[in-house]
Amino acid sequence: MIAYFPVLYAFVSKSKNRVVCADISVAVSDSTESGFVHSQQIRSLLLNKYPKILGNKIETVPCQDIEQFLKKHHAIKVCEAYYTIGGQLNVELSQRKPLCRVFSGYDSYYIDEDGKKMPLFDNYTAHVLVVSGHVNKLDSLQHVIQLARYIKANEFWDAQIEQVYVESNGEFTLAPRVGDQIIYMGKLDDFARKMEKLYALYTKGLHPREWNNYSKINLKFEGQIICTKK
């Protein structure tokens, strides 16, 4: 056995020297969830960047360079490139996941699940929570990101809340999908407690048929919810 493995390794190394790169296979692991990039697009991108890959020896394929090149793409979060003994370059990647879309003046962009800014893409639009209004007056988006994560993680809120609006005074309102009332949040320092109050109102205080009877729901005050009828 001790003698066998060095011989086998030498044989594989010698064979690898003769193998050329015959094909490129790209797999986007989360392509059913997001469509920012697709396999054919990445394959074309690689062939444009590295036109001499196909037909050259597989051992000369710069896998690490390819990974670093693709990670510069604004939609790609994780990338791994490797080749097989049979001469195929495999590229496996996953995309960044948008958490919310921000509209600030004439600028619009996504914030991903890691809290990082992400540009828009012409070929795909993610259906996520919208943040709009006087966003440029905020010192930080940290509380907005925390609220967006809270909404995303909760099945009820993810289905019910579609927009967060920043008022000129720095306070926040929410726009629901079901019901056309405005939900006044005030500051977001203790948003979790306010969302718990709102959930209690939706599930215990109001019948779903009554949701459209109110134009305003105010959560700003301690120990109470003020509802204004239409």
Side-chain angles (χ1 to χ4, degrees):
M1 292 292 292
I2 293 174
Y4 172 75
F5 283 108
V7 172
L8 178 62
Y9 179 77
F11 174 78
V12 171
S13 299
K14 186 176 180 181
S15 300
K16 188 174 68 174
N17 290 336
R18 295 196 299 265
V19 175
V20 298
C21 182
D23 193 16
I24 300 174
S25 174
V26 179
V28 183
S29 62
D30 50 3
S31 59
T32 58
E33 301 173 24
S34 299
F36 294 113
V37 296
H38 52 80
S39 57
Q40 187 57 45
Q41 173 191 358
I42 298 301
R43 190 177 189 277
S44 300
L45 196 65
L46 287 175
L47 289 175
N48 184 60
K49 174 68 175 180
Y50 304 97
K52 296 182 179 180
I53 283 183
L54 295 180
N56 276 337
K57 292 181 179 180
I58 195 69
E59 63 176 2
T60 65
V61 174
C63 290
Q64 290 187 347
D65 289 349
I66 288 173
E67 291 176 355
Q68 293 304 315
F69 168 67
L70 290 179
K71 285 178 182 178
K72 293 178 182 178
H73 193 290
H74 292 299
I76 295 176
K77 181 176 182 179
V78 178
C79 177
E80 182 178 1
Y82 60 93
Y83 55 79
T84 65
I85 296 177
Q88 178 169 280
L89 171 63
N90 292 328
V91 178
E92 298 177 356
L93 57 89
S94 60
Q95 303 169 83
R96 294 169 64 185
K97 293 179 173 58
L99 180 67
C100 59
R101 180 172 176 176
V102 178
F103 290 86
S104 179
Y106 295 103
D107 191 19
S108 183
Y109 54 88
Y110 295 113
I111 297 292
D112 71 6
E113 291 183 339
D114 295 323
K116 298 179 180 178
K117 191 174 179 179
M118 182 179 175
L120 305 181
F121 296 85
D122 293 333
N123 61 309
Y124 180 77
T125 300
H127 299 287
V128 292
L129 181 73
V130 170
V131 179
S132 61
H134 302 271
V135 179
N136 57 348
K137 290 189 176 182
L138 297 176
D139 295 330
S140 169
L141 286 176
Q142 191 58 40
H143 282 136
V144 176
I145 293 171
Q146 291 173 356
L147 174 61
R149 286 173 177 162
Y150 181 92
I151 292 173
K152 182 69 174 178
N154 186 291
E155 185 177 359
F156 180 84
W157 294 128
D158 192 36
Q160 173 65 353
I161 303 300
E162 66 176 355
Q163 184 173 357
V164 176
Y165 187 85
V166 185
E167 302 288 348
S168 59
N169 61 358
E171 295 187 346
F172 294 81
T173 57
L174 306 181
R177 285 190 173 89
V178 179
D180 57 359
Q181 65 275 160
I182 299 174
I183 302 169
Y184 290 88
M185 292 286 289
K187 299 295 185 180
L188 294 183
D189 302 40
D190 56 348
F191 70 83
R193 180 184 59 83
K194 293 175 181 178
M195 296 300 288
E196 288 173 1
K197 290 199 303 181
L198 182 60
Y199 183 76
L201 176 67
Y202 276 141
T203 57
K204 299 177 181 180
L206 297 176
H207 190 279
R209 287 196 296 266
E210 297 180 287
W211 289 5
N212 286 323
N213 294 341
Y214 296 87
S215 60
K216 299 177 184 178
I217 297 176
N218 196 329
L219 306 173
K220 293 169 59 175
F221 304 103
E222 184 71 27
Q224 59 182 322
I225 302 174
I226 300 175
C227 300
T228 304
K229 281 193 172 183
K230 292 181 179 178

